[in-house]
Amino acid sequence: MMTQEQMLEQIVKQVMASMSSSDAPAAEAPKGAQVTDADYPLGDKRPELIVSATGVPLKDVTLAKVLDGTLKAEDLRINPATLELQAQVADSVGRDAFGINLRRAAELIAVPDARLLEIYNALRPYRSTKDELLAIADELENKYSAKVSAQLVKEAAAIGYKRKRTKEFK
C-alpha cells in the first residue's frame, strides 16, 4: 500500500508529465524521439523523454524537492515537447483530432495565462469587433508563433462577422 507521501509524489509526476503551461517555444520531440501507444503512459514507460519547461527531468521531480523549495512551480510546467510526444501517442491510435489539439496546446504554451483568458473572453459573442479579433490572430501568429491558433481566430472573426455575432452588431 502506498504511503500518502508516495501518492503525492506520484501525483506531482503525473501532473508534470501531462499538463500545465510554460513560456517555452514551439514543440519538438526530444532528440527526434518517436513514440506510440506502446510507450503510454510516457511517465512510466519513457520517463527519460520527459523534462519540465525549465529542463528538470521527470526522475528529479519528488515531493521532497517540492516541499523543501528545491523545485518551484515553473519547474513543474509542461514542456511543449511533452505535448508533442503525447500527440504522437494519439496519432498512433488513430486519434488525429486529439493529436492536433495537443499540438495546438503546445503552441499556446508561450502565451501567458492572463493573455489566454483575455483572448478567450474576446472570442465570446459580441465581445470584439472583427478587426479586434484579426489583431489577436496577428498577435498569436507573429508574437507567439501560434500559427494554427491564429488561423482559428481568423476563422472565428470571419464567421462571427458573417453571423452578426461581433461587437459591431451588438
Side-chain angles (χ1 to χ4, degrees):
M1 181 149 213
M2 277 188 168
T3 67
Q4 195 171 23
E5 185 174 311
Q6 289 170 323
M7 287 185 347
L8 285 171
E9 189 170 329
Q10 183 179 11
I11 289 168
V12 168
K13 285 185 178 188
Q14 287 173 346
V15 166
M16 185 182 151
S18 66
M19 52 190 295
S20 195
S21 65
S22 86
D23 295 322
E28 275 187 30
K31 299 176 185 136
Q34 292 291 311
V35 296
T36 68
D37 63 319
D39 299 299
Y40 187 81
L42 297 172
D44 291 338
K45 295 185 179 176
R46 298 295 304 273
E48 76 281 2
L49 296 177
I50 300 173
V51 297
S52 76
T54 60
V56 177
L58 181 60
K59 68 177 177 56
D60 292 342
V61 176
T62 65
L63 181 60
K65 288 182 181 181
V66 171
L67 293 175
D68 74 12
T70 302
L71 294 176
K72 307 290 184 216
E74 57 271 12
D75 296 318
L76 302 178
R77 292 178 177 247
I78 198 164
N79 185 326
T82 301
L83 288 170
E84 170 57 30
L85 292 170
Q86 291 178 336
Q88 290 176 19
V89 171
D91 292 346
S92 77
V93 295
R95 297 195 61 202
D96 300 335
F98 186 50
I100 290 167
N101 285 337
L102 288 166
R103 289 182 177 98
R104 190 170 63 245
E107 77 174 16
L108 289 175
I109 284 175
V111 182
D113 292 345
R115 183 62 182 135
L116 280 175
L117 288 174
E118 291 169 358
I119 292 169
Y120 169 78
N121 283 319
L123 286 164
R124 296 176 66 198
Y126 308 110
R127 298 290 175 99
S128 303
T129 65
K130 181 180 179 182
D131 287 341
E132 288 169 339
L133 292 174
L134 292 174
I136 289 170
D138 184 65
E139 173 189 4
L140 287 170
E141 186 169 357
N142 296 309
K143 185 174 181 179
Y144 299 109
S145 298
K147 296 179 186 332
V148 174
S149 297
Q151 184 58 40
L152 290 173
V153 173
K154 288 176 189 176
E155 290 173 21
I159 291 168
Y161 187 80
K162 181 180 178 183
R163 293 182 180 172
K164 299 184 178 184
R165 303 277 183 187
T166 56
K167 199 184 221 179
E168 291 96 341
F169 300 101
K170 187 173 182 182

